[in-house]
Amino acid sequence: HVQLVESGGGSVKAGGSLRLSCTASGNLYTRNCMAWFRQRQGKEREGVAALGTDGSTSYTDSVKGRFTISQDNAKKTLYLQMTSLRIEDTALYVCAAEYGGPYWCETWHSSAGSFGRWGQGTQVTVS
C-alpha cells in the first residue's frame, strides 16, 4: 500500500521561497511519474510540475523559472522548490503518483484524473 505524505507548506511573503516535500512509502520512483498539483480556493486542481522516470520535468507556464521539481531516491522523497512566490501561488499543494514512463508523464502530467495515488496536501499561503 503506497502512501504519500507532504510537508513544508506555510505562510510566506510575496517574493519568498518554500520547499515542499513528499515522502512515499513503497518503491515508487523507479516506475512512476511523480507530480505536484495545487488547488486554489474555488478552482479545479491544477498540475504544477511533474518528474518522469528518466529525470525529465514538466511545468505549468505560470511557474516556469520559479519552481523546481526534484527527487531524492535514497530518501524516497519528492521536492518542489518554490521561489519568487506570488499571491496567486496560494493553494493546497498535493503530491501525486501514477505508473507511467517518460512519454506518459509528459503527456498526462497536468491531468489530475490520470493520477491514482494522492497525498493529503500541504497548504501554502503567500501574502
Side-chain angles (χ1 to χ4, degrees), residues 28 30-33 53 97-101 104-105 114-117:
L28 277 182
T30 58
R31 294 180 178 272
N32 283 263
C33 172
T53 54
E98 183 55 54
Y99 185 87
W104 186 95
C105 199
S114 299
F115 285 78
R117 299 181 181 89

Side-chain angles (χ1 to χ4, degrees), residues 34-58:
M34 302 298 299
W36 286 98
F37 285 77
R38 65 185 177 188
Q39 189 151 19
R40 292 179 274 196
Q41 197 166 8
K43 304 284 188 180
E44 290 189 357
R45 193 162 285 190
E46 172 193 25
V48 175
L51 180 66
T53 54
D54 63 346
S56 58
T57 56
S58 301

Side-chain angles (χ1 to χ4, degrees), residues 101-123:
Y103 177 77
W104 186 95
C105 199
E106 183 180 8
T107 303
W108 298 106
H109 66 95
S110 61
S111 172
S114 299
F115 285 78
R117 299 181 181 89
W118 295 89
Q120 295 299 308
T122 185
Q123 178 67 36

Side-chain angles (χ1 to χ4, degrees), residues 45-117:
R45 193 162 285 190
E46 172 193 25
V48 175
L51 180 66
T53 54
D54 63 346
S56 58
T57 56
S58 301
Y59 297 93
T60 192
D61 286 346
S62 64
V63 308
K64 285 179 180 176
R66 300 189 298 122
F67 291 9
T68 303
I69 189 171
S70 63
Q71 68 185 36
D72 183 329
N73 286 333
K75 295 182 179 179
K76 294 185 178 180
T77 301
L78 181 74
Y79 300 104
L80 185 67
Q81 178 68 50
M82 305 186 297
T83 63
S84 301
L85 282 162
R86 305 168 180 169
I87 291 175
E88 56 265 36
D89 293 320
T90 295
L92 180 70
Y93 284 74
V94 188
C95 174
E98 183 55 54
Y99 185 87
Y103 177 77
W104 186 95
C105 199
E106 183 180 8
T107 303
W108 298 106
H109 66 95
S110 61
S111 172
S114 299
F115 285 78
R117 299 181 181 89

